[in-house]
Amino acid sequence: MNALLEQFLLESRDLIAEATRDLLALERTPDDGALIVGVFRAFHTLKGSSGVFGIQPMTRMLHAAEDILAAIRDGRAATGPDLTDALLESLDQTARWLDELEASEALPADADATAAALIGRLHGDGGIDTARPDAPMAGDLDIFTGDERASVLDAVHGQPAGTGVFRIAYRPDPRCFFNGDDPLKLLAGLPGLAALRISAREGWPALDSLDPFQCHLDIDALVLGDESAVRHAFRLVADQVTIAAIDPAALSPQPSPLPSPIAGAGDVVGAVLEEQRRLLATPDVPPGEVAGRWGSAAAAAANALRHEGRGGTADALAAALALAQDRLDPKPLAEALERAMRDRLASGKDLAASLPSQQPSSQQPSSQQASSRSLRVEEQRVDRLFALVGEMIVAKNTLGWLAGRTAEAADPSGIVRPLRDLHALVERLTRDMHDAVVRIRTVPVGQVFDRFPRLVRDLSLRLGKPADLAIEGEATSADKTVVDALFEPLMHLIRNSLDHGVERPEERRARGKPDRATVVLRAFHANDRLVVEISDDGGGIDLAAVGRKAVLAGVLDEAQLALLTDAEVAALIFAPGLSTMEETSDLSGRGVGMSAVRMAIERIGGSVGIRTLRHRGTTISLELPLTLALLRIVTVSARGRRFGAPLDDVAETIRLPDSHIQRIRGRRAFTWRDQVVPLHPLGRLLELPEEPGQGQRRGDGDDRLVLVVRTGGGVFGLEVDGIGDRLEVALRPMDGLLANIPAYLGTTLQGNGGVLLILNLKELPP
């Protein structure tokens, strides 16, 4: 990609984030002049930059938005929800076009039609007479006659090599004379002026109504020379001028046609999803193939969706598969797949579809932000360094393994100490290098948090539930992978807070609450973990309703429900297929979203908690690791196989005598710290085949080795055959079809070169 285009893409995305943030703030304080100027400046810069690269549809659309903002700035119009919607949509479309440019360096074939539709919406929804009809954009040469263009082309041939041709579109401010500007004098002193067109902006008014102190001119020019000199000449009226470099060949009476946009590849993802839908609809499936066919269809569809960046939808399919298997009915999975296909087709209209491209960095207006120095680092370079750290960790573990093997030799005294010293040195270097890499990858959670004011604003208007979003702790930092993984779970939770939790204004008034609800998004560090909380002051969760729904959905029975605490009942909302909504909407009510949240958070080693008070509100807590770079594990063995267990989930390792094991309702359990804990053998949970003679090797009186595992759903004991070393390892997540195996977090390389599977302890209990 051209280096200038790459810089344009980076700067344009920053401007989109800045304009989005300021627009949302302007809606709350419409009289803030600094915000109006900030939004106008961002749109103007975006328009000018797009004109330099000849991106005509983008330039036309942004120019229309700029005219409306100029009317607001001049007091000829006022902001409102419809106008803000139209301006935000223009930013969304700009972001989508930037993605197209990055992928193929060309806009899609329908860009002109899209721009025209948005221009119509800007003028229609805004309802504003800008008093400035669309001027020709800077790259448009049709305003000049063929003779004028030919004379400029002849003049170019007589210029030194490197001389540029620039198209100037100068729209003086109507009150420019009061600002000390003289447009004609400025043009008279412009070096390299080759062609000039001056026209009345709206046609001349009657002489008796003509205001001689207002400027009614539109000025278009072609200039030869150096770009920096041309821009310097207009430096004092930069917000009124668009300057674009043009190809001299375009001055020819019959310019060569521009290359057409590269046609995109076929919709491979759509074809994959359609094939899985057909697979699920196939009649007369042999009973032995049912489970495998459902799992295959869900895995293929989920991987295709993840390839397209739709991780939340893929998680919803996984939750639907679990529900289908529980009910022995493919209908939940088929319905989830149909929704995924419909949502994908409608993604251009989805409220959240445009949010990932926006990356605002603060809730404060840009004019109030202190500038910060930052270094942009290509992600590929950081990933390469990250991979080197993983290899160094493997080397460290190899040294430890060799040292252990050497210690078993006949005369190890001469080599063991140097090996152990070298191992200690490599361990120290590895830790230092890891810390350095983590600092490079560490980013503030504000990068994700600041995408949500737009979502809350749009959803609250759509639902008729006025709400404000308060953000706290946006400077709290964590690994970039962890922060990026937060977006979709937080989007689901905020949607649920507004759709389920927040009451309508009349209900809030009846309960003595203000009409406007408050949703709080908060982040902080606790015990070397990142904690993110989403709180609302809504109606809270009706625990009785949750219990009834859980029994009806078959999640548990009445007897089991009676034994649960209030906190455990509230946590049932994360079960697949459970929803307290009586009606399904396009936002929620299907019982899939909260389950997908839990699965997404647990996939990166986190946990979910919930606190609620009826009519007071609900708080959902996400606890996550600060980094996924290194994972502390303990190695365990079961039925002759070795695995890794994350130490963050292990509360204690104990030796459990057989006499302490009891049978409760036909299942084994033991007492640990005044609570009854179920006991599960790891080999049986993983369905591992027993080794010959394994039963005889362990006597009934032998102690059992048990890991006491603490998860969001409670505590359980994991019986293993052996407990080995504690290690720090570089976790490599499962990918492809293996990514959907819930029992494993990923893999790592051992010191002897073998692959070690890392268990996902939260998913092991039946």
Side-chain angles (χ1 to χ4, degrees):
M1 181 186 296
N2 181 285
L4 289 177
L5 179 59
E6 185 173 0
Q7 187 66 24
F8 163 70
L9 295 174
L10 288 172
E11 292 178 355
S12 295
R13 288 185 173 117
D14 288 342
L15 287 167
I16 289 171
E18 176 186 332
T20 300
R21 182 176 60 251
D22 286 354
L23 271 173
L24 295 176
L26 184 62
E27 192 173 37
R28 294 190 296 271
T29 54
D31 297 329
D32 191 326
L35 286 175
I36 296 173
V37 171
V39 175
F40 179 85
R41 185 186 301 115
F43 271 86
H44 173 76
T45 306
L46 279 169
K47 181 199 74 172
S49 299
S50 66
V52 169
F53 286 92
I55 311 170
Q56 298 183 10
M58 186 185 298
T59 306
R60 286 198 299 272
M61 181 189 69
L62 292 170
H63 184 76
E66 181 190 29
D67 282 346
I68 291 173
L69 288 166
I72 296 172
R73 181 195 59 188
D74 298 340
R76 294 180 282 116
T79 59
D82 291 341
L83 176 57
T84 302
D85 284 342
L87 291 170
L88 288 171
E89 178 57 27
S90 70
L91 292 173
D92 294 344
Q93 185 58 54
T94 301
R96 289 191 285 270
W97 279 338
L98 293 178
D99 292 340
E100 292 281 351
L101 287 170
E102 185 173 31
S104 61
E105 298 191 26
L107 295 186
D110 64 349
D112 285 313
T114 302
L118 281 169
I119 290 170
R121 182 178 174 191
L122 283 164
H123 288 296
D125 287 357
I128 294 174
D129 181 7
T130 63
R132 290 181 61 185
D134 268 354
M137 65 179 194
D140 185 6
L141 300 177
D142 291 343
I143 193 172
F144 299 99
T145 66
D147 291 342
E148 288 173 326
R149 291 159 60 181
S151 64
V152 174
L153 185 60
D154 291 340
V156 172
H157 295 154
Q159 296 292 326
T163 299
V165 182
F166 300 92
R167 166 73 160 87
I168 310 296
Y170 180 15
R171 304 295 178 259
D173 188 297
R175 296 177 57 82
C176 63
F177 304 133
F178 295 95
N179 298 329
D181 297 334
D182 186 340
L184 296 182
K185 183 177 181 180
L186 175 59
L187 290 166
L190 186 64
L193 182 62
L196 179 65
R197 304 285 294 181
I198 300 176
S199 57
R201 186 165 299 168
E202 295 180 309
W204 294 108
L207 189 60
D208 57 354
S209 61
L210 176 65
D211 184 352
F213 299 104
Q214 293 281 326
C215 182
H216 300 277
L217 303 179
D218 282 344
I219 301 172
D220 298 275
L222 294 174
V223 179
L224 308 180
D226 177 71
E227 182 175 1
S228 60
V230 174
R231 292 192 179 278
H232 181 77
F234 289 102
R235 66 191 183 281
L236 299 179
V237 291
D239 63 328
Q240 304 166 36
V241 179
T242 300
I243 301 173
I246 63 173
D247 185 350
L251 297 168
S252 171
Q254 294 181 343
S256 57
L258 295 176
S260 61
I262 300 174
D267 186 6
V268 178
V269 173
V272 171
L273 297 180
E274 175 60 24
E275 195 62 29
Q276 306 321 307
R277 187 189 65 78
R278 291 172 55 193
L279 180 65
L280 289 174
T282 303
D284 302 324
V285 181
E289 297 180 13
V290 168
R293 185 167 299 196
W294 297 353
S296 174
N303 289 332
L305 289 165
R306 286 197 178 94
H307 171 75
E308 203 172 47
R310 301 176 185 273
T313 308
D315 290 339
L317 282 179
L321 172 63
L323 186 60
Q325 291 171 337
D326 287 343
R327 297 181 178 178
L328 299 178
D329 180 5
K331 186 176 179 181
L333 179 58
E335 291 176 346
L337 183 57
E338 290 284 353
R339 285 194 298 272
M341 296 172 71
R342 288 198 304 270
D343 292 347
R344 184 172 172 271
L345 290 174
S347 59
K349 302 177 182 178
D350 188 65
L351 289 172
S354 61
L355 292 174
S357 63
Q358 304 167 13
Q359 299 179 4
S361 57
S362 168
Q363 269 297 99
Q364 299 300 321
S366 59
S367 58
Q368 300 175 9
Q369 292 180 6
S371 60
S372 61
R373 295 173 61 89
S374 60
L375 177 66
R376 294 181 187 268
V377 181
E378 291 182 6
E379 190 171 353
Q380 294 88 340
R381 297 183 181 182
V382 177
D383 289 343
R384 174 58 180 158
L385 187 58
F386 188 68
L388 289 174
V389 172
E391 294 177 18
M392 197 169 183
I393 291 168
V394 173
K396 179 203 73 171
N397 292 342
T398 303
L399 279 174
W401 178 74
L402 286 173
R405 290 292 301 273
T406 307
E408 300 171 359
D411 184 20
S413 57
I415 191 171
V416 171
R417 181 176 294 276
L419 269 177
R420 293 198 183 279
D421 290 343
L422 180 58
H423 177 252
L425 175 62
V426 172
E427 186 169 14
R428 179 180 62 80
L429 291 174
T430 302
R431 191 174 297 279
D432 291 346
M433 190 173 182
H434 166 253
D435 289 342
V437 173
V438 167
R439 290 179 184 276
I440 291 176
R441 292 178 60 91
T442 296
V443 295
V445 295
Q447 289 190 1
V448 171
F449 281 14
D450 285 339
R451 304 182 193 184
F452 294 111
R454 167 78 181 279
L455 178 65
V456 171
R457 179 241 179 216
D458 289 348
L459 281 180
S460 63
L461 289 174
R462 178 178 173 182
L463 296 170
K465 299 178 178 180
D468 295 318
L469 177 67
I471 293 179
E472 300 175 7
E474 61 266 32
T476 306
S477 59
D479 187 281
K480 182 179 183 295
T481 305
V482 176
V483 173
D484 288 347
L486 277 172
F487 173 71
E488 291 206 23
L490 290 180
M491 182 179 67
H492 281 296
L493 293 174
I494 289 175
R495 279 178 164 179
N496 268 25
S497 288
L498 292 171
D499 200 20
H500 289 214
V502 171
E503 314 98 325
R504 296 196 175 277
E506 56 273 15
E507 297 176 48
R508 294 180 63 84
R509 284 194 295 270
R511 292 171 184 162
K513 298 181 180 181
D515 284 5
R516 294 191 71 84
T518 301
V519 178
V520 180
L521 189 54
R522 180 186 302 111
F524 55 91
H525 289 147
N527 300 325
D528 294 327
R529 304 277 281 181
L530 170 66
V531 179
V532 178
E533 293 184 344
I534 304 92
S535 304
D536 64 67
D537 61 351
I541 296 175
D542 186 344
L543 298 181
V546 172
R548 289 194 302 271
K549 289 282 188 176
V551 172
L552 289 174
V555 176
L556 40 62
D557 57 32
E558 293 281 2
Q560 292 171 318
L561 177 64
L563 298 175
L564 298 183
T565 64
D566 286 351
E568 291 170 335
V569 173
L572 290 174
I573 66 170
F574 296 104
L578 185 65
S579 174
T580 58
M581 295 290 283
E582 297 298 333
E583 296 182 359
T584 297
S585 70
D586 57 347
L587 291 180
S588 57
R590 302 184 181 98
V592 174
M594 298 300 280
S595 176
V597 167
R598 179 181 62 82
M599 293 178 63
I601 295 301
E602 290 181 354
R603 184 179 292 115
I604 57 175
S607 60
V608 182
I610 185 168
R611 305 187 301 274
T612 186
L613 286 174
R614 191 64 175 146
H615 304 312
R616 297 286 297 277
T618 301
T619 297
I620 294 178
S621 299
L622 311 178
E623 187 176 317
L624 303 129
L626 289 177
T627 177
L628 301 181
L630 287 185
L631 182 68
R632 296 185 306 129
I633 66 166
V634 58
T635 59
V636 297
S637 59
R639 297 185 179 179
R641 290 170 173 79
R642 199 161 175 255
F643 303 93
L647 277 171
D648 285 346
D649 296 329
V650 178
E652 192 175 344
T653 59
I654 61 175
R655 285 184 175 274
L656 185 66
D658 271 351
S659 59
H660 290 188
I661 300 175
Q662 304 173 3
R663 288 276 177 180
I664 300 177
R665 294 184 180 177
R667 296 189 177 185
R668 300 193 307 162
F670 63 97
T671 302
W672 177 78
R673 298 190 180 181
D674 298 327
Q675 60 180 315
V676 177
V677 177
L679 179 62
H680 304 289
L682 176 59
R684 187 179 303 166
L685 290 177
L686 297 179
E687 299 181 359
L688 301 176
E690 289 195 26
E691 292 184 295
Q694 184 175 7
Q696 286 75 25
R697 288 200 298 269
R698 169 177 287 166
D700 290 340
D702 294 344
D703 290 347
R704 311 283 175 165
L705 296 175
V706 176
L707 303 182
V708 181
V709 179
R710 191 189 302 275
T711 69
V715 179
F716 70 92
L718 190 65
E719 181 184 346
V720 297
D721 297 339
I723 299 177
D725 299 329
R726 297 190 178 195
L727 302 171
E728 286 184 334
V729 299
L731 179 67
R732 299 175 184 272
M734 305 283 234
D735 55 14
L737 291 176
L738 301 180
N740 290 322
I741 301 178
Y744 302 104
L745 286 176
T747 65
T748 190
L749 287 178
Q750 304 179 78
N752 61 3
V755 175
L756 184 71
L757 286 168
I758 309 300
L759 299 171
N760 184 359
L761 297 180
K762 298 180 179 67
E763 294 290 340
L764 285 182

